[in-house]
């Protein structure tokens, strides 16, 4: 059975748990983050919610909508905050060095902006990061027994 992390939340599990899968779903305007310690077999997931739809609607209704500019002033710091929470939680559980996966952060109107935040955030954790991979799944789970990612 999979532990499902809902929007705005983080969670973790390990290979020894009865529920060794952890994941999330519904990454439409959200970004997913998964980290995995392959030595200790501990993993965590964050479902980062930006509430872009509300901000987009606000710009549209105010008449300030211009294609290609609708996301320019949006604040993606929620990614940084959730990444800190996730890394802190899994590190407190004993994790040390991580494989990192970012989901649903490419090929979008605001992908350049969010990727700048992702890169600056991960630069703070650089000594702890073994590898970082972008993935396109909008629903996934991490198997903490082997670190494999599956689409759900």
């Amino acid at each position: 059975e999979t532990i499902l992390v809902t929007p705005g939340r983080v969670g973790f599990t390990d290979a020894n748990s009865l529920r060794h899968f952890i994941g999330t779903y519904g990454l439409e305007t959200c970004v997913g983050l998964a980290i995995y310690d392959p030595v200790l077999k501990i993993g965590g997931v964050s479902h980062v919610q930006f509430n872009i739809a509300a901000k987009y609607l606000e710009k549209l209704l105010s008449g300030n909508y211009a294609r290609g500019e609708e996301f320019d002033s949006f604040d993606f710091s929620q990614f940084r905050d959730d990444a800190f929470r996730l890394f802190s939680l899994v590190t407190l559980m004993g994790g040390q060095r991580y494989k990192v996966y970012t989901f649903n952060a490419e090929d979008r109107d605001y992908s350049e902006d969010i990727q700048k935040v992702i890169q600056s955030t991960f630069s703070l954790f650089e000594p702890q990061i073994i590898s970082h991979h972008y993935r396109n799944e909008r629903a996934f789970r991490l198997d903490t027994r082997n670190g494999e990612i599956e689409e759900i």
Side-chain angles (χ1 to χ4, degrees):
E1 197 172 319
T2 301
I3 298 168
L4 290 173
V5 177
T6 56
R9 305 269 185 196
V10 300
F12 77 95
T13 192
D14 63 42
N16 296 320
S17 172
L18 292 175
R19 297 173 67 190
H20 51 266
F21 287 103
I22 186 164
T24 194
Y25 59 94
L27 296 175
E28 299 306 320
T29 60
C30 303
V31 170
L33 176 62
I35 66 173
Y36 175 69
D37 183 319
V39 175
L40 298 176
K41 299 188 182 306
I42 298 171
V45 167
S46 177
H47 184 133
V48 185
Q49 186 175 30
F50 297 119
N51 201 14
I52 287 171
K55 291 182 180 187
Y56 172 80
L57 183 59
E58 180 182 313
K59 280 199 137 203
L60 186 63
L61 293 174
S62 71
N64 294 327
Y65 170 77
R67 182 90 177 119
E69 297 180 43
E70 65 266 29
F71 298 107
D72 286 353
S73 64
F74 288 2
D75 180 8
F76 292 108
S77 63
Q78 190 61 48
F79 181 87
R80 187 176 301 109
D81 296 344
D82 286 3
F84 273 103
R85 286 184 6 196
L86 183 59
F87 273 85
S88 298
L89 178 65
V90 177
T91 301
L92 284 171
M93 299 313 299
Q96 298 173 15
R97 298 202 14 102
Y98 307 106
K99 291 183 178 182
V100 178
Y101 303 91
T102 306
F103 298 84
N104 198 36
E106 295 183 303
D107 300 325
R108 301 168 70 173
D109 287 342
Y110 55 87
S111 62
E112 192 174 307
D113 293 331
I114 185 60
Q115 287 188 24
K116 286 178 188 174
V117 173
I118 290 169
Q119 290 170 1
S120 70
T121 299
F122 288 159
S123 70
L124 302 172
F125 298 104
E126 200 168 314
Q128 293 176 277
I129 296 176
I130 298 168
S131 62
H132 176 231
H133 306 278
Y134 286 101
R135 302 203 37 147
N136 293 319
E137 293 92 341
R138 292 187 181 192
F140 69 90
R141 71 182 188 173
L142 165 68
D143 184 342
T144 56
R145 297 172 300 178
N146 55 28
E148 291 184 13
I149 301 287
E150 299 176 7
E151 187 168 13
I152 56 173

